């Protein structure tokens, strides 16, 4: 079983993700180039890492979404299989229409890089089941365009279908309803601005993020 | 040939933090009468005449790529040039 990490030109959290999956979770990650048109055959999950794909030209994630690999990622997601987008990965997933809403410039206009407390809002997804409901966790954030926006009707839908996975404790960027991470309605696609892969090793300042990867790996292993 | 100018901005309901910051800076420069600043993106394009409706083509480009219609709105101007 392979955890496929998509690499766009400008991805820069790809190795962080690789490290956590290989060295902390002891599973098998593999980089997948954006020019590929298929995923490795036994891909169990797709990870879209953070960074500045295509230099954030036009809008963050806007051009990555047209990469050759993205059709395969869409098909994978539509088949109900797990896809995680972190930071720029979240932006790519919203641009690709796999998650609702959009990410705007932070309301302060600053690039914000700091530890950030989050509240686990839904611990009944395959990505969050190892967390407690309403648990406070610390994941670092590092983004200039993390200000989540959706219209009122979409927000109601997100709430109704328990799609808000994480909220910020003290909203750092102006996000609608303090939203830090959401899933799609069927719960197999997760996008979030904070970085669980940078909080999965005590030596790097925290281990809360490990719970997310443990949840995912456990869900995948149980489904086999 | 067509010359196309496209303007993309945040929807009115959405706070434009860059516009706000620029407005504040203008006020600091004593341009107190500036009441509203909107920052957006501007594109110029030349499109060859392919017999299809050029407005429809530009609209499609905006919806698919140039604007994120979740949060942005766009308008455009098209003018035909000689040799079209």
């Amino acid at each position: 079983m392979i955890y496929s990490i998509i690499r766009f030109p400008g991805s820069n959290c790809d190795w962080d993700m690789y490290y956590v999956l290989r060295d902390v979770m002891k599973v098998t990650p593999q980089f997948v180039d954006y020019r590929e048109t298929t995923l490795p055959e036994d891909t169990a999950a797709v990870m879209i890492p953070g960074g500045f794909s295509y230099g954030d030209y036009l809008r963050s994630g806007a051009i990555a979404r047209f990469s050759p690999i993205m059709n395969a990622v869409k098909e994978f997601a539509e088949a109900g299989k797990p896809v995680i987008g972190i930071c720029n990965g979240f932006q790519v997933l919203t641009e690709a229409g796999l998650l609702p809403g959009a990410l705007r410039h932070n309301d302060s206009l600053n690039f914000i890089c700091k530890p950030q407390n989050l509240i686990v809002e839904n611990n009944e997804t395959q990505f969050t089941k190892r967390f407690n409901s309403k648990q406070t966790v610390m994941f670092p954030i590092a983004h200039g365009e993390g200000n989540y926006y959706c219209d009122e009707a979409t927000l109601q839908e997100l709430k109704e279908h328990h799609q808000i996975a994480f909220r910020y404790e003290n909203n750092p960027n102006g996000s609608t309803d303090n939203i830090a991470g959401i899933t799609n309605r069927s719960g197999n696609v997760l996008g979030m601005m904070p970085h669980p892969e940078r909080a999965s090793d005590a030596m790097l300042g925290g281990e809360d993020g490990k719970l997310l990867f443990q949840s995912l790996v456990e869900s995948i292993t149980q489904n086999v | 040939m067509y010359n196309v100018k496209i303007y993309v901005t945040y929807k009115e309901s959405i706070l434009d933090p860059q516009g706000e910051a620029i407005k504040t800076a203008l006020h600091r420069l004593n341009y107190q009468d500036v009441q509203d600043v909107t920052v957006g993106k501007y594109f110029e394009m030349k499109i060859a005449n392919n017999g299809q409706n050029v407005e429809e083509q530009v609209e499609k480009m905006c919806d698919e790529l140039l604007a994120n219609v979740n949060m942005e709105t766009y308008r455009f101007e098209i003018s035909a040039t000689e040799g079209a």
Side-chain angles (χ1 to χ4, degrees):
Chain A
M1 274 187 303
I2 287 173
Y3 291 70
S4 291
I5 304 170
I6 311 294
R7 261 179 160 170
F8 299 105
S11 294
N12 67 8
C13 301
D14 43 348
W15 275 110
D16 304 57
M17 187 73 92
Y18 193 94
Y19 165 75
V20 168
L21 290 168
R22 185 190 60 187
D23 292 66
V24 180
M25 298 311 303
K26 315 285 185 201
V27 295
T28 313
Q30 186 176 320
F31 290 126
V32 178
D33 189 271
Y34 70 104
R35 287 162 292 198
E36 298 286 340
T37 52
T38 52
L39 294 163
E41 209 171 303
D42 46 350
T43 295
V46 169
M47 330 295 283
I48 307 183
F52 299 85
S53 58
Y54 293 86
D56 275 355
Y57 291 175
L58 190 62
R59 295 180 304 278
S60 44
I63 300 181
R65 136 188 186 218
F66 295 102
S67 295
I69 192 62
M70 283 307 289
N71 282 332
V73 172
K74 270 189 195 171
E75 277 171 26
F76 190 82
E78 279 157 13
K81 295 175 184 167
V83 176
I84 299 185
I86 292 169
C87 201
N88 188 224
F90 185 16
Q91 296 161 340
V92 173
L93 290 174
T94 58
E95 285 284 344
L98 289 172
L99 290 172
L103 282 314
R104 300 168 294 185
H105 282 284
N106 297 341
D107 58 358
S108 65
L109 288 176
N110 293 324
F111 187 97
I112 307 171
C113 184
K114 66 176 179 101
Q116 172 69 46
N117 279 352
L118 308 176
I119 295 156
V120 179
E121 294 290 346
N122 182 358
N123 71 336
E124 291 178 4
T125 77
Q126 56 187 309
F127 310 104
T128 56
K129 61 186 191 184
R130 293 286 291 264
F131 295 97
N132 297 320
S133 180
K134 300 288 176 187
Q135 184 178 344
T136 303
V137 293
M138 191 285 288
F139 295 174
I141 57 169
H143 59 246
E145 292 171 50
N147 180 350
Y148 182 77
Y149 169 78
C150 64
D151 60 26
E152 192 53 41
T154 308
L155 181 61
Q156 285 315 315
E157 270 182 40
L158 289 177
K159 287 181 184 167
E160 230 167 82
H161 299 99
H162 309 288
Q163 288 174 248
I164 301 170
F166 297 97
R167 279 199 172 93
Y168 296 112
E169 195 174 68
N170 293 305
N171 194 338
N173 56 23
S175 290
T176 301
D177 206 26
N178 304 321
I179 287 174
I182 56 170
T183 65
N184 62 348
R185 196 182 288 189
S186 42
N188 66 302
V189 178
L190 169 73
M192 59 190 304
M193 290 312 298
H195 287 273
E197 82 282 19
R198 296 189 193 173
S200 293
D201 184 332
M203 242 168 66
L204 301 176
E207 288 193 301
D208 290 347
K210 235 164 98 174
L211 292 169
L212 187 142
F213 295 102
Q214 284 168 345
S215 300
L216 175 67
V217 171
E218 197 180 284
S219 302
I220 287 171
T221 327
Q222 278 169 0
N223 283 339
V224 169
Chain B
M1 186 78 86
Y2 296 100
N3 280 330
V4 183
K5 296 175 176 178
I6 303 168
Y7 308 84
V8 177
T9 54
Y10 275 139
K11 285 179 184 170
E12 248 179 62
S13 56
I14 292 183
L15 180 74
D16 172 4
Q18 290 189 76
E20 288 298 310
I22 292 165
K23 185 173 80 178
T24 310
L26 286 170
H27 287 174
R28 248 183 258 134
L29 290 170
N30 277 325
Y31 297 103
Q32 300 295 346
D33 296 332
V34 177
Q35 293 184 1
D36 199 21
V37 178
T38 302
V39 179
K41 297 184 186 115
Y42 171 63
F43 304 85
E44 283 182 8
M45 255 184 231
K46 290 189 193 334
I47 304 181
N49 188 346
N50 57 8
Q52 291 174 27
N53 184 323
V54 64
E55 286 195 13
E56 276 174 20
Q57 291 179 67
V58 172
E59 217 162 285
K60 218 162 156 252
M61 290 179 207
C62 290
D63 287 338
E64 279 178 20
L65 178 63
L66 301 182
N68 180 331
V69 293
N70 284 323
M71 58 176 176
E72 291 171 329
T73 177
Y74 59 84
R75 65 191 166 83
F76 50 81
E77 296 157 9
I78 300 175
S79 58
T81 60
E82 278 179 45

